[in-house]
Amino acid sequence: MTEESKTVHLVSQEGESFDVPVAVANMSVLVKTMIDEDHDDEEAQEIPLPNHYIAEPMHEIEKPLKSANIKEVVQEWYATFVAVDQDVLFELILAANYMDIKPLLDLTCATVASWIKGKNAEEIRKHFNIVDDFTPEEEAQVREENKWVEEA
């Protein structure tokens, strides 16, 4: 069996099974460490995992984001996938980081960036429920030191 035709058998927590090329499975460093390179090539190795969409690989996300609307940045399926509550999205960011899945980390972080894009500090604080604990003097100093941000 050639390297290109090798597959692993991923099993979701819901019991669905997916035969996936090893190259795709290796996108996750965590999964890569679970693949037994000495496994019998006749049969795909079974690896238990949560669900993952692989029908249409995500295009690379342009940086800086061209829009504050994530639907204009990534394909429809991926935009819908990250259309979740803020808490869920932050859990996805943590999971993507832990599992070292760069495309998922890029997607989730781009979603947060789209929430911030075009907003001023007060709007960002409101969106993320951040308490403004700067005194007016401290805020003026920070604004002075970071004038270039507002000019961009």
Side-chain angles (χ1 to χ4, degrees), residues 1-151:
M1 184 175 280
T2 66
E3 284 296 315
E4 294 81 32
S5 62
K6 285 185 181 180
T7 62
V8 291
H9 191 70
L10 302 180
V11 181
S12 74
Q13 290 180 347
E14 293 80 14
E16 292 181 66
S17 299
F18 305 93
D19 285 324
V20 178
V22 171
V24 172
N26 282 339
M27 289 173 64
S28 166
V29 174
L30 180 67
V31 173
K32 187 176 185 175
T33 63
M34 297 170 73
I35 295 174
D36 179 7
E37 293 181 15
D38 297 327
H39 185 77
D40 178 18
D41 288 346
E42 296 298 315
E43 202 173 309
Q45 182 180 356
E46 186 170 293
I47 298 175
L49 290 177
N51 278 339
H52 175 66
Y53 178 75
I54 59 170
E56 181 185 0
M58 186 176 70
H59 301 141
E60 187 161 340
I61 298 171
E62 278 185 49
K63 297 169 187 91
L65 294 183
K66 62 183 177 184
S67 172
N69 182 350
I70 197 70
K71 291 179 180 181
E72 295 174 8
V73 177
V74 297
Q75 298 111 296
E76 182 181 351
W77 188 92
Y78 295 96
T80 302
F81 180 78
V82 292
V84 295
D85 291 336
Q86 183 174 301
D87 291 341
V88 173
L89 187 69
F90 289 150
E91 289 293 325
L92 283 171
I93 290 170
L94 292 173
N97 187 48
Y98 173 75
M99 293 181 71
D100 202 1
I101 304 174
K102 186 178 179 338
L104 180 58
L105 187 58
D106 288 348
L107 173 64
T108 51
C109 289
T111 302
V112 174
S114 73
W115 292 346
I116 294 171
K117 187 170 180 71
K119 292 193 167 98
N120 63 34
E122 187 57 40
E123 292 169 323
I124 293 169
R125 282 194 282 270
K126 184 176 180 182
H127 183 95
F128 293 102
N129 296 317
I130 299 170
V131 176
D132 183 4
D133 56 357
F134 284 123
T135 66
E137 295 80 22
E138 290 172 326
E139 187 162 341
Q141 180 184 355
V142 169
R143 286 187 189 280
E144 182 62 32
E145 292 170 356
N146 296 287
K147 251 185 197 170
W148 62 271
V149 173
E150 293 176 13
E151 294 169 0

